[in-house]
Amino acid sequence: MSEALIIDVVRTPRAIGKPGKGAYAGMHPQHLAATVLKALQQRNDLDTADIDDVIWGTSAQMGLQGGDMGRMAALDAGFDIRVSGVTLDRFCGSGLTAANLAAGQLMSGMEDLLIAGGTEMMSMVTALGQLQAAAGLRSGGLGTGNARLQRKYPQSNQGVCADAIASMEGIGREALDAFGLESQRRAARAIAQGWFDRSIVPVIDDEGRVILAKDEYPRPDTTAEGLAALKPSFAQIADMPSSPDGPTFRQLINQVYPNLKIEAFHHAGTSSGVVDGAAALLMASSDYARKRGLKARARVIATANIGDDPTLMLNAPVPAARKVLAKAGLTVDDIDLWEVNEAFAVVVEKFIRDLRLDRERVNANGGAIAMGHPIGATGAVLIGTVLDELERRDLKRALVTMCAAGGMAPAIIIERV
């Protein structure tokens, strides 16, 4: 079986994802995707005719993000027209799933050179969501539009799910705030030290002007007192109807967990930031890399996917980690660094507690609470972030996982070459 090698990883800076306010406002999402594709080509002197496929993740495939961004971004980047592309949706896990599928293609010997990654312009998605809300539609419950599915598997608002898990696990506001503050502190340190510089490529418009060269979202001046003063974000949402005539988001959870008292804990400082961004990995078979003189940075050891309770929605990362470790024949002690997407503070806090991890090795340079979560791109971002940190610390292995709507989680283990 061939190896799946990671040659390079790049990402755009993450821009604030509010409609009309972030650095990428008015920009086409394909431009962000094309930016990272072109960067991989230029940094690695690729003959793009050799690229077998572009496997891309975009969760909200609507509006300008519809129409197979993998293929369209390859064309926008000026790749050879023989380079095909496909776009997939595993909600928040889309970018990580793209990398996992690319690894499988390479390890099976079916392909030799692939690009995997993702894009999400949350500013555009948020604007469309506001239009839907104005039309009387509710967002947040992934099964809301299907009454039959909601009867079988109630699915609530993700923020309300985070509060429900925190209530169930006894993880209170103080612990969650401390986690959010630490994410900001670690990100601020990494930015100041230039630890993200290798992977970040600036976004430049068609006139050659630099639109953004560094992450726009982090708040390095965050304090414990400031976080403590924030009101919970999902207290009112919990008691909103999930559909015009349907149960509230709280009631959807209580249909499955009738004795659970859901307290409101999470707020903007302990939830993932809403941002725009793109990221991409260049991946090759060992034979292709050897023939073309490409120097691999890491190899993929194992990948896995798993489903968990769709009502609580956010608890799959722990079983996903256990599954991918078992596939690789490894234990928790064999992993040097962990990246778990900070969808909400409770997701990672529970992960650390359940697996009894050294928290200094989990999200070592902060995460989505500090820097934002560009949904379809985040998985590819996390692989690049942890690979850079493995190299900086001269460590060997990392595991990346993340929760995804519907109660899912993909996972991957990489090892430095």
Side-chain angles (χ1 to χ4, degrees), residues 55-130:
I55 305 176
W56 213 245
T58 301
S59 183
Q61 294 180 36
M62 62 177 83
L64 297 179
Q65 291 196 161
D68 189 358
M69 196 179 303
R71 167 63 171 173
M72 297 306 151
L75 294 174
D76 196 347
F79 283 11
D80 190 288
I81 61 169
R82 289 170 288 182
V83 180
S84 58
V86 63
T87 303
L88 59 88
D89 173 16
R90 198 193 294 275
F91 302 115
C92 296
S94 299
L96 184 50
T97 297
N100 288 358
L101 291 176
Q105 289 284 85
L106 294 168
M107 294 171 81
S108 70
M110 293 294 178
E111 306 285 14
D112 286 307
L113 185 66
L114 295 168
I115 292 178
T119 306
E120 206 84 40
M121 284 194 68
M122 295 300 293
S123 56
M124 188 200 75
V125 176
T126 302
L128 290 171
Q130 290 172 349

Side-chain angles (χ1 to χ4, degrees), residues 18 23 34 43 59 75 89 101 113 132 142 149 180 194 281 298 336 354-355 386 392 399:
K18 293 183 179 179
R43 285 163 52 127
S59 183
L75 294 174
D89 173 16
L101 291 176
L113 185 66
Q132 290 177 338
L142 274 296
L149 179 58
L281 295 83
D336 298 305
D354 285 1
L355 295 179
V386 82
R392 191 183 74 81
L399 189 154

Side-chain angles (χ1 to χ4, degrees), residues 7 10 19 21 24 26 38 50 94 108-109 119-120 124 134 137 231 265-266 282 312 349-350 353 371 406 413:
I7 308 300
V10 296
K21 293 185 178 180
Y24 303 147
K38 285 190 285 189
D50 286 352
S94 299
S108 70
T119 306
E120 206 84 40
M124 188 200 75
L137 303 175
K231 293 182 178 180
F265 295 118
H266 289 84
L282 179 64
L312 292 177
E349 187 64 27
K350 182 179 186 298
R353 296 184 187 197
M371 293 179 289
I413 297 174

Side-chain angles (χ1 to χ4, degrees), residues 163-165 167-168 250 253-254 257-262 312:
D163 283 343
I165 294 167
S167 301
M168 182 180 291
R250 184 192 305 276
I253 295 175
N254 285 146
Y257 301 94
N259 298 321
L260 177 60
K261 181 182 178 182
I262 303 171
L312 292 177

Side-chain angles (χ1 to χ4, degrees), residues 223-242:
T223 64
E225 295 76 18
L227 292 178
L230 294 175
K231 293 182 178 180
S233 298
F234 305 101
Q236 291 183 324
I237 292 175
D239 294 313
M240 290 172 56
S242 58

Side-chain angles (χ1 to χ4, degrees), residues 209-282:
R209 295 171 298 194
V210 175
I211 300 301
L212 191 63
K214 63 179 182 179
D215 289 320
E216 193 176 39
Y217 187 82
R219 298 178 177 88
D221 56 350
T222 300
T223 64
E225 295 76 18
L227 292 178
L230 294 175
K231 293 182 178 180
S233 298
F234 305 101
Q236 291 183 324
I237 292 175
D239 294 313
M240 290 172 56
S242 58
S243 60
D245 299 316
T248 67
F249 290 116
R250 184 192 305 276
Q251 288 170 339
L252 286 170
I253 295 175
N254 285 146
Q255 286 175 15
V256 181
Y257 301 94
N259 298 321
L260 177 60
K261 181 182 178 182
I262 303 171
E263 298 183 64
F265 295 118
H266 289 84
H267 48 70
T270 50
S271 305
S272 55
V274 178
V275 297
D276 300 338
L281 295 83
L282 179 64

